[in-house]
Amino acid sequence: MTASPMSKGSNLPVDARVVRVELAWVTGAGVPDIDASALLLTEAGRVRDDGDFVFYNQPRHASGAVTHLGKQRGTRETTDTVEVDLGAVEGTVERIVLCASADGGTFGQVPGLVLRLLDAGAGTELARFDMAAGTETAFIGGELYRRQGKWKFRAVGQGYASGLAGLATDFGITVDDAAPASSASPTATTPPVSPVSPVSPEAAAVPGPPPPPVPPAVPAAPARQPSASHLHPGAPRLTKGEERLPVDMRKRLSLRKEQVAVSLRKHGAAEVTARVILVLDASGSMSFLYSKGVVADVVERMAAVAAQLDDDGEMQAWTFASNPARLPDLRLGELPEWLRLHVRVGEMGLFRRGRKKGLEPSQVDMRDVGIQNEEQKVIAEVRAFVRDRPASAPTLVLFFSDGGVYRNKEIERELREAVEEPVFWQFVGLGRSDYGVLERFDTLPGRRVDNVGFFAVDDISTVPDAELYDRLLSEFPQWITAAGRAGIL
């Protein structure tokens, strides 16, 4: 049964628990492709973070309440659908704005554009809104909203000439897609900081003298097997390539390596070697930490751990959000260029398809990574890497996240299966909350050894190097002992 057409601004009650918002149009030559999306808004009319945007690159909200189901193409009509479980919508969400964007044209070129609201269970049509547009490239078709504890639907029909990016920005989504990554200044992502003392984000933003030229980053290569036969136990290790670093960065690295060596000696692990892997959260809520240079500073501080523990000073690295992506290996002599090219979530673009212009061959297109939290995917990928490239030394994974964990069962399964592998997972929380199973894993029973460490800090830029390395390396030596006794190492 077809519902009576709604007029712009009209509303009606919605009694169904699960509804589908179906955007339909007539396909043909010269007709742009249309994408449906949804924004979850609080009472203030804003998203809480970028995770409240559900669209083709981020098809499922963390709460499970809103899902982008995707397109169905018929001989004449194409539909793109968003499903909403109204019973599962979080209490802080007051409105769900139902949007559309035109790819390759304007809505004035789209014939037969209609929004249909369906009862997902019964399949009946609850509402129908025929939309007319002109030069707009983004559109708010309608919205689901709460009124006195009940849900209602309103036909909106508001267009945006600035496209989906302009629409999303109005509701608080972070959009930064203007400048290509290659134009970023190396000194902007490698702020001069005291080697031991913390700096504020404001101080970190002050550019220092430009570094000397360094060789370009090269694609990732298989890990080398660590060997400590030529090293002086417990002493800061000289690593190939350090001499190419800018003087200030080389001094910071030298002092930080000494701090790492002190922490290892303190925990009885002066002669320990390890392969070091870095994992960086790239979800939407991390954008502020990237733009302030906090993540770049974290990477530089972790490079000292690799320089001290691994004989070649290289780190394998991953970034992740909705999907994982391996970054090129971080080699010490190329650290400034690596930071410039690969610590770049603040430049991600959400809305365009195809490879972003201006990317260098080694760079990851961050639109493929998305903005939602899917930790279990990158954990599985790192596990596969370690299995495929066995090393004579254990592996230490340094995993940085600002929380928002919701795949608890999947993450727990991956980490439980990893107990029998020569890998220690050190998770560091960067000041938000909802760390879920990552925070609880230390207390979970049924494991032969404790293969996971976790701690959280409100502002990692204020934590001195000595304290950071102490916390980072306190449980790793204990795991090495336990894993050795259990026959894992």
Side-chain angles (χ1 to χ4, degrees), residues 136-158:
E136 300 94 337
T137 54
F139 217 80
I140 297 178
E143 63 179 9
L144 293 158
Y145 64 99
R146 297 185 201 261
R147 186 69 78 234
Q148 297 178 342
K150 303 289 187 180
W151 284 98
K152 303 185 77 172
F153 172 77
R154 178 184 291 117
V156 177
Q158 178 184 349

Side-chain angles (χ1 to χ4, degrees), residues 9-26:
S10 61
N11 63 77
L12 54 78
V14 178
D15 295 325
R17 176 188 168 95
V18 182
V19 295
R20 289 186 176 177
V21 182
E22 187 177 85
L23 195 68
W25 65 97
V26 176

